[in-house]
Amino acid sequence: MKKEKKINPSKELPLGFVDRQEKELLVRDFIISNIKEVMIKYGFQYLETPSFEYSDSIGKFLPDKDRPDEGVFSFRDDNKWLSLRYDLTAPLARYVAKNFLEIPKPFKRYQLGTVWRNEKPGPGRFREFLQFDADYVGTKSLQADAELCVMISEILEKCGLTKSEYIVKISSRKITEELFKKININDSQQKLTALRALDKIDRLGWNGVKELLGSGRKDKSGDFTKGANLKPKDIETIEEALKKKSPETEDLLEILKIFKDYNFNNFEFDPSIIRGLEYYTGAIFEVNLKFDVTNDKGQVIQFGSIGGGGRYDNLVNNFGNYDAPATGISIGLDRLVYALMQKTEFKIKQSKPIVICVFDKNSMKDYIAIQTIIRKAGISVEIYPSESKLKKQMEYANKINSPAVILYGENEIKSSKPTLRNLRSGKEQSIEIKELVNEIKKII
RNA sequence: GCAGCAGUAGCUCAGUUGGUUAGAGCACUAGUUUGUGGAACUAGGGGUCGGUGGUUCGAAUCCACCCUGCUGUACCA
């Protein structure tokens, strides 16, 4: 009989999906707890919406296509297309439209949730990631826009970033709109290409952007990108306009005034920031890190922004007749985690369990008794799960970074004096049970 | 998507112009020590050489296609 070749299931993960380990999750939890604290202080309410939405509810319409636009993960269910949400703003708009009459106006909500994007992953950038999003719905007041920037800044500083390590950049859609009107670009494709080119100034610099506004640009690998084919004179006009150090549009002037009242100054006017192309209508903001981020080979990489947002006055309106101007901001949490973990001074302390070694299964009652005492004191502790050689148990304790082991063998039990071994110093001491908790506290 | 580079043990990598049974370090397991981890020594396990097909007497090595990773670029609502 011939042996069938066994084909094992793949251990690999789908492109852009990753396992996340404790080290990373603890940093993430730390950020989340800071976010929640700040959200409460600023009076936002907590909301959760489902991972899936009908594709058309989150802006994915399907004209003659057998699947929704690339960029989202979708599947067909009973002739309706469902998509995994790609952000938290679109579901919010849907939620507001659905519950418009019941919710307070303005509606201030924040949300933490996984989102999915069917795009090429990069460093600190995955196809599944956690996003934080805070929005003001139902107000035109620019106080809201300004406060979002102040608030995001407070969150970042709570997470340990200093003012010199990040900056909030602001601009307004109105600037580029006026600019395009001035130089008379009507072709919408051309407008789009130009807008996208402008968005890249931080990465490519002015020369790169100029090439993209003109005939096109060849990148480092030799790949060529077509440009917007603007006239040199128009490119000059744009360059001139974007050099301006202070804003002239009314919305930004107002926001700047409010920043002043808040005594907030870690921002920068930057007319070249664009953010998404679809729904923003007014002020836009972007949060950038100012320190170098490296990959695991130590190379400095293009990291981009860790979050941003802006005013979107028409999004809720798309669903029907309710008029709900809105503004919001989001952070990609995993990107922030990735960046924070690079700061060498950034370490989150975690308490690993004390390990009680097992000499004899029949003494389990005694092990459990001291385990209970220690746990009651709120200290992490566990009994080694089997009766292995002491060496193995010690190796285990060492491996999990346990601060200490408790040796409670025949003689110790007889005298009710367990031995506590400090795994960092290697010192051992014999201790009365009632003193055990106190001694452990000295070690951890 | 496009372009460049890469893929050999869990990890980092070596492997001569195609030539027996594919190697090293670290990690892992067992022992030196039946009550002692982080050091040392000894022994051991572990590989569809990214996959599939082709060329060849013979392929980790050459060819084709595919997959995956990295970097850049595009897209990012």
Side-chain angles (χ1 to χ4, degrees), chain A residues 87-153:
Chain A
D87 73 3
L88 299 175
T89 311
L92 171 67
R94 189 232 80 218
Y95 177 86
V96 169
K98 184 175 162 70
N99 301 286
F100 195 79
L101 299 177
E102 284 78 33
I103 58 173
K105 263 73 77 180
F107 179 55
K108 296 167 68 177
R109 88 88 180 75
Y110 78 101
Q111 187 163 356
L112 285 153
T114 308
V115 303
W116 295 264
R117 292 190 186 182
N118 195 353
E119 301 167 353
K120 190 203 152 188
R125 241 190 132 163
F126 308 103
R127 298 215 287 187
E128 174 182 64
F129 59 97
L130 191 62
Q131 201 172 57
F132 157 70
D133 192 84
D135 296 80
Y136 272 88
V137 184
T139 176
K140 282 198 160 130
S141 165
L142 295 171
Q143 148 87 16
D145 300 68
E147 197 174 74
L148 286 173
C149 295
V150 173
M151 181 199 86
I152 210 87
S153 161

Side-chain angles (χ1 to χ4, degrees), chain A residues 6-270:
Chain A
K6 194 187 169 198
I7 296 166
N8 293 319
S10 174
K11 289 170 284 219
E12 305 310 315
L13 290 168
L15 175 65
F17 288 79
V18 286
D19 295 319
R20 299 177 200 279
Q21 292 175 326
E22 187 172 53
K23 207 170 109 195
E24 193 181 337
L25 296 175
L26 288 172
V27 176
R28 182 204 261 184
D29 285 350
F30 166 74
I31 296 170
I32 290 174
S33 67
N34 290 331
I35 286 174
K36 286 185 178 164
E37 232 175 88
V38 173
M39 284 297 95
I40 290 167
K41 272 199 333 201
Y42 280 71
F44 282 75
Q45 61 169 277
Y46 205 5
L47 178 73
E48 183 172 298
T49 61
S51 313
F52 275 104
E53 297 269 357
Y54 285 121
S55 303
D56 60 353
S57 311
I58 50 172
K60 288 289 132 191
F61 300 93
L62 318 171
D64 300 334
K65 276 190 187 169
D66 60 349
R67 52 168 295 187
D69 205 352
E70 288 167 26
V72 290
F73 293 100
S74 306
F75 71 90
R76 195 195 280 273
D77 178 57
D78 288 342
N79 287 327
K80 276 205 108 171
W81 278 98
L82 302 184
S83 295
L84 278 168
R85 63 185 175 204
Y86 54 82
D87 73 3
L88 299 175
T89 311
L92 171 67
R94 189 232 80 218
Y95 177 86
V96 169
K98 184 175 162 70
N99 301 286
F100 195 79
L101 299 177
E102 284 78 33
I103 58 173
K105 263 73 77 180
F107 179 55
K108 296 167 68 177
R109 88 88 180 75
Y110 78 101
Q111 187 163 356
L112 285 153
T114 308
V115 303
W116 295 264
R117 292 190 186 182
N118 195 353
E119 301 167 353
K120 190 203 152 188
R125 241 190 132 163
F126 308 103
R127 298 215 287 187
E128 174 182 64
F129 59 97
L130 191 62
Q131 201 172 57
F132 157 70
D133 192 84
D135 296 80
Y136 272 88
V137 184
T139 176
K140 282 198 160 130
S141 165
L142 295 171
Q143 148 87 16
D145 300 68
E147 197 174 74
L148 286 173
C149 295
V150 173
M151 181 199 86
I152 210 87
S153 161
E154 182 164 341
I155 289 172
L156 293 178
E157 283 175 33
K158 242 183 157 42
C159 289
L161 292 180
T162 64
K163 286 202 194 308
S164 59
E165 288 173 323
Y166 76 95
I167 187 114
V168 179
K169 293 186 172 183
I170 62 159
S171 183
S172 174
R173 261 310 148 71
K174 295 188 172 142
I175 295 174
T176 40
E177 260 169 45
E178 280 173 20
L179 194 53
F180 286 141
K181 208 177 280 173
K182 191 168 154 196
I183 60 173
N184 223 339
I185 309 182
N186 293 315
D187 186 281
S188 67
Q189 194 55 44
Q190 201 175 24
K191 217 187 260 183
L192 208 62
T193 310
L195 217 50
R196 284 171 180 157
L198 294 179
D199 196 31
K200 296 171 178 56
I201 188 166
D202 53 329
R203 261 186 310 134
L204 307 179
W206 252 113
N207 289 337
V209 171
K210 259 191 210 168
E211 284 169 16
L212 283 174
L213 287 173
S215 55
R217 173 179 182 271
K218 204 181 216 174
D219 72 41
K220 239 162 76 181
S221 67
D223 194 27
F224 185 77
T225 310
K226 274 202 285 184
N229 281 314
L230 298 186
K231 290 179 221 138
K233 201 188 91 204
D234 291 340
I235 295 177
E236 225 170 88
T237 309
I238 293 174
E239 183 168 4
E240 218 39 52
L242 297 196
K243 262 189 196 154
K244 283 182 185 148
K245 289 276 189 291
S246 54
E248 286 165 0
T249 54
E250 240 174 74
D251 55 346
L252 290 180
L253 289 173
E254 167 85 18
I255 288 174
L256 254 51
K257 204 174 129 252
I258 302 170
F259 279 168
K260 207 168 184 184
D261 294 338
Y262 269 102
N263 203 13
F264 173 73
N265 43 35
N266 205 27
F267 69 91
E268 184 182 284
F269 168 64
D270 182 349

Side-chain angles (χ1 to χ4, degrees), chain A residues 408-420:
Chain A
Y408 204 34
E410 207 182 331
N411 293 334
E412 282 108 339
I413 291 174
K414 238 178 240 166
S415 62
S416 282
K417 284 175 89 176
T419 299
L420 180 68

Side-chain angles (χ1 to χ4, degrees), chain A residues 163-395:
Chain A
K163 286 202 194 308
S164 59
E165 288 173 323
Y166 76 95
I167 187 114
V168 179
K169 293 186 172 183
I170 62 159
S171 183
S172 174
R173 261 310 148 71
K174 295 188 172 142
I175 295 174
T176 40
E177 260 169 45
E178 280 173 20
L179 194 53
F180 286 141
K181 208 177 280 173
K182 191 168 154 196
I183 60 173
N184 223 339
I185 309 182
N186 293 315
D187 186 281
S188 67
Q189 194 55 44
Q190 201 175 24
K191 217 187 260 183
L192 208 62
T193 310
L195 217 50
R196 284 171 180 157
L198 294 179
D199 196 31
K200 296 171 178 56
I201 188 166
D202 53 329
R203 261 186 310 134
L204 307 179
W206 252 113
N207 289 337
V209 171
K210 259 191 210 168
E211 284 169 16
L212 283 174
L213 287 173
S215 55
R217 173 179 182 271
K218 204 181 216 174
D219 72 41
K220 239 162 76 181
S221 67
D223 194 27
F224 185 77
T225 310
K226 274 202 285 184
N229 281 314
L230 298 186
K231 290 179 221 138
K233 201 188 91 204
D234 291 340
I235 295 177
E236 225 170 88
T237 309
I238 293 174
E239 183 168 4
E240 218 39 52
L242 297 196
K243 262 189 196 154
K244 283 182 185 148
K245 289 276 189 291
S246 54
E248 286 165 0
T249 54
E250 240 174 74
D251 55 346
L252 290 180
L253 289 173
E254 167 85 18
I255 288 174
L256 254 51
K257 204 174 129 252
I258 302 170
F259 279 168
K260 207 168 184 184
D261 294 338
Y262 269 102
N263 203 13
F264 173 73
N265 43 35
N266 205 27
F267 69 91
E268 184 182 284
F269 168 64
D270 182 349
S272 71
I273 68 163
I274 304 296
R275 300 296 301 167
L277 302 160
E278 212 80 3
Y279 55 65
Y280 291 118
T281 55
I284 40 185
F285 0 100
E286 190 167 294
V287 185
N288 284 80
L289 295 181
K290 289 166 88 177
F291 56 91
D292 282 343
V293 176
T294 57
N295 62 14
D296 43 354
K297 286 176 189 151
Q299 303 162 307
V300 175
I301 51 174
Q302 289 295 343
F303 198 66
S305 72
I306 55 163
R311 178 156 284 278
Y312 52 98
D313 285 344
N314 301 323
L315 201 56
V316 174
N317 205 297
N318 281 342
F319 286 89
N321 302 323
Y322 302 123
D323 193 22
T327 183
I329 198 160
S330 22
I331 300 182
L333 284 199
D334 300 282
R335 311 198 74 201
L336 182 56
V337 168
Y338 189 92
L340 279 184
M341 282 176 59
Q342 303 225 332
K343 300 192 5 148
T344 45
E345 72 273 25
F346 196 82
K347 293 234 168 60
I348 297 218
K349 253 185 103 182
Q350 45 181 307
S351 50
K352 290 299 182 185
I354 306 276
V355 174
I356 299 171
C357 295
V358 172
F359 291 88
D360 180 358
K361 273 188 295 196
N362 298 319
S363 305
M364 199 50 78
K365 190 177 149 226
D366 300 286
Y367 304 142
I368 291 174
I370 54 173
Q371 176 178 254
T372 304
I373 291 169
I374 298 168
R375 281 196 181 150
K376 269 193 181 149
I379 295 166
S380 173
V381 61
E382 66 182 354
I383 296 170
Y384 190 82
S386 67
E387 192 189 72
S388 311
K389 283 187 180 171
L390 194 53
K391 180 179 165 124
K392 274 199 88 165
Q393 303 193 37
M394 299 285 289
E395 276 170 357

